[in-house]
Amino acid sequence: MNQITSLRNGSVVNKFYGTVTDGVLHLPVSGIADEDAFVTVNGVEAQRLGVNFTAVVPVSQKVTELTMTAENSCGRMTHSVKVLYDKDSFRRYNFFIDDNSFFWTDIIKNRPRSLFDQFYLKFLKRMHDEYGTKFTLNLFFRNDHEPCELSSFPDSYKKEFADNAHWLKMSWHAYSEFPDRPYQNVPAEKVASDYDLIKSEVCRIAGEESFIPPVAAHWSMIRPDGMAELVKRGVRVMTSQFINPKTSLSEDQRGPHLCDIGFFQNLRECLYLEKEQMLYSFAQNVLYLHGMLICNYWTPAEIKEKLAQVQKESVRHEILSLETHEQYTFPSYFNYLPDHMERMETAIRFASEAGYKPVFFAEGLLGNTAWEK
């Protein structure tokens, strides 16, 4: 009965949750308490209306603990939640591409003069040049479609990678595409060793500045001990679908309340993420982010429609997560999408025209470095 209800432990708040004066967020905190109780939140006396209470609390730190205290003749009752403050928030988007192995296999085989003579990277560079888009390519170590491994990639493009590392970065995704759900039931050491292997290869072929901690993992199922290994290596954000996931091009959206490919988060967390998009796990030190749009699932027209709806529903958070999968760009792939690049550009153009700034979610707080200044 005596609890904060407007926020939960791990909520991410910004200027849209209250009013900001000189960098301080004045945050309304609401809940329910016994009608006869005297209620304060962080020492601020609450206004009462029946069982409901509201208090406006100043928030000036990145992490703030909010404690409501209700006192009556029965004694003192408290409830605390911690919230994360996205200070100086702004509209921003991140674009990552999963399952990368085809482009680096193509370069190994054909050795183009420039990285950007390869058609896939050439397209990504055009997106950067025209829209400023920043990309993270999540890599497999092994290409399961051809007998090829990343260790065969030459280091002769290292300077070119480094010169473009401000917008093109690479990261770990998994050892290889198959089997599905590779980290769902494996020891944490397997997650750690695969991560370290791919990071070492990226540093060898592209320089340390070209590697960035991932914000996604292949099939999004890693046990807490495996996640702890990723956190040790600098991972701070993980995106997924969490609830009612679409896992293939042919699959219809599933029925209500199916939790899957969401890092073992329970129904309560998944429902919250579906509604509020972000939730910080203080237990794991990971910010979970509900993935917004996977380009290979939708036609250009559907992408426009869905992003317009996302923009309307998610205005409070100013966060747009764009993603897709590399293989749909390649004509040799059995599920090749001839309009895959058009789908990607449609999403990027929408983000740009709607005023979203390209960032890397792995930097700062989802690309916002206000707390680092």
Side-chain angles (χ1 to χ4, degrees):
M1 175 63 171
N2 297 283
Q3 62 180 320
I4 295 168
T5 58
S6 60
L7 299 160
R8 61 156 296 162
N9 202 48
S11 290
V12 181
V13 298
N14 62 17
K15 60 193 175 190
F16 293 105
Y17 283 72
T19 59
V20 177
T21 305
D22 297 327
V24 177
L25 174 64
H26 300 277
L27 179 66
V29 180
S30 302
I32 55 175
D34 296 332
E35 281 191 85
D36 63 341
F38 177 73
V39 177
T40 60
V41 182
N42 286 20
V44 177
E45 182 178 350
Q47 300 297 310
R48 301 300 312 274
L49 181 61
V51 297
N52 300 299
F53 72 82
T54 300
V56 178
V57 179
V59 172
S60 59
Q61 303 297 317
K62 185 175 181 180
V63 176
T64 297
E65 185 168 22
L66 303 170
T67 300
M68 67 80 65
T69 302
E71 293 187 76
N72 59 17
S73 59
C74 294
R76 175 183 293 181
M77 294 144 286
T78 65
H79 177 223
S80 296
V81 299
K82 289 191 287 187
V83 298
L84 194 63
Y85 178 24
D86 185 14
K87 183 175 71 170
D88 299 336
S89 63
F90 57 94
R91 283 190 174 189
R92 55 204 193 265
Y93 76 97
N94 179 83
F95 203 128
F96 66 83
I97 305 176
D98 284 344
D99 295 4
N100 285 271
S101 65
F102 286 20
F103 89 85
W104 56 253
T105 301
D106 193 16
I107 291 174
I108 289 171
K109 289 163 57 178
N110 296 307
R111 302 296 175 100
R113 181 186 60 82
S114 165
L115 291 170
F116 304 108
D117 289 337
Q118 198 279 329
F119 81 95
Y120 170 74
L121 295 184
K122 182 178 182 179
F123 168 75
L124 299 185
K125 189 173 190 304
R126 182 170 72 81
M127 293 299 94
H128 169 70
D129 291 343
E130 293 187 17
Y131 303 100
T133 309
K134 299 180 178 184
F135 292 99
T136 299
L137 309 182
N138 297 321
L139 308 183
F140 293 136
F141 176 77
R142 184 180 67 206
N143 182 345
D144 283 337
H145 299 267
E146 297 187 43
C148 194
E149 294 185 345
L150 189 58
S151 55
S152 297
F153 195 97
D155 62 6
S156 54
Y157 299 98
K158 192 169 188 176
K159 183 179 186 305
E160 192 171 20
F161 271 123
D163 289 344
N164 290 276
H166 59 288
W167 68 270
L168 181 65
K169 294 189 184 293
M170 292 176 282
S171 194
W172 160 88
H173 197 47
Y175 186 85
S176 61
E177 183 173 359
F178 305 111
D180 293 343
R181 303 170 182 263
Y183 302 116
Q184 184 163 328
N185 293 295
V186 299
E189 292 77 14
K190 172 62 174 171
V191 180
S193 63
D194 286 356
Y195 183 101
D196 292 345
L197 174 64
I198 290 176
K199 181 178 180 179
S200 68
E201 288 299 321
V202 171
C203 291
R204 178 184 65 82
I205 67 177
E208 192 168 346
E209 61 269 43
S210 293
F211 184 85
I212 192 168
V215 298
H218 194 36
W219 281 97
S220 301
M221 292 300 277
I222 297 175
R223 293 186 176 278
D225 57 348
M227 187 64 72
E229 291 298 325
L230 296 181
V231 170
K232 288 179 186 177
R233 287 158 172 77
V235 171
R236 293 293 178 267
V237 179
M238 274 290 162
T239 65
S240 189
Q241 295 181 68
F242 294 99
I243 194 164
N244 298 336
K246 183 177 172 67
T247 59
S248 72
L249 293 178
S250 60
E251 183 179 64
D252 292 330
Q253 207 72 20
R254 300 184 187 183
H257 302 171
L258 174 66
C259 298
D260 192 21
I261 55 175
F263 303 105
F264 295 96
Q265 298 302 293
N266 63 34
L267 178 60
R268 179 180 294 179
E269 276 68 39
C270 291
L271 288 171
Y272 182 89
L273 281 159
E274 183 181 44
K275 181 174 183 288
E276 295 293 337
Q277 192 177 357
M278 293 180 281
L279 182 64
Y280 191 83
S281 169
F282 288 100
Q284 293 184 303
N285 293 318
V286 173
L287 176 59
Y288 287 112
L289 178 66
H290 186 270
M292 300 308 297
L293 189 126
I294 303 174
C295 294
N296 55 272
Y297 284 163
W298 313 109
T299 67
E302 289 170 332
I303 286 170
K304 290 179 184 178
E305 180 182 344
K306 289 180 179 295
L307 284 176
Q309 187 65 26
V310 165
Q311 183 183 2
K312 179 181 177 181
E313 293 177 351
S314 304
V315 65
R316 284 202 302 176
H317 294 305
E318 302 185 295
I319 299 298
L320 191 58
S321 177
L322 303 178
E323 59 185 282
T324 197
H325 295 78
E326 179 215 45
Q327 55 266 46
Y328 296 96
T329 314
F330 285 74
S332 60
Y333 184 59
F334 77 99
N335 259 338
Y336 169 61
L337 295 172
D339 66 347
H340 188 223
M341 290 181 179
E342 181 186 354
R343 297 178 187 212
M344 294 171 65
E345 186 166 7
T346 298
I348 290 167
R349 185 186 303 113
F350 179 98
S352 180
E353 291 176 352
Y356 290 85
K357 179 182 178 181
V359 297
F360 292 115
F361 280 171
E363 296 178 345
L365 176 51
L366 293 174
N368 181 2
T369 58
W371 287 111
E372 299 173 10
K373 297 176 182 176

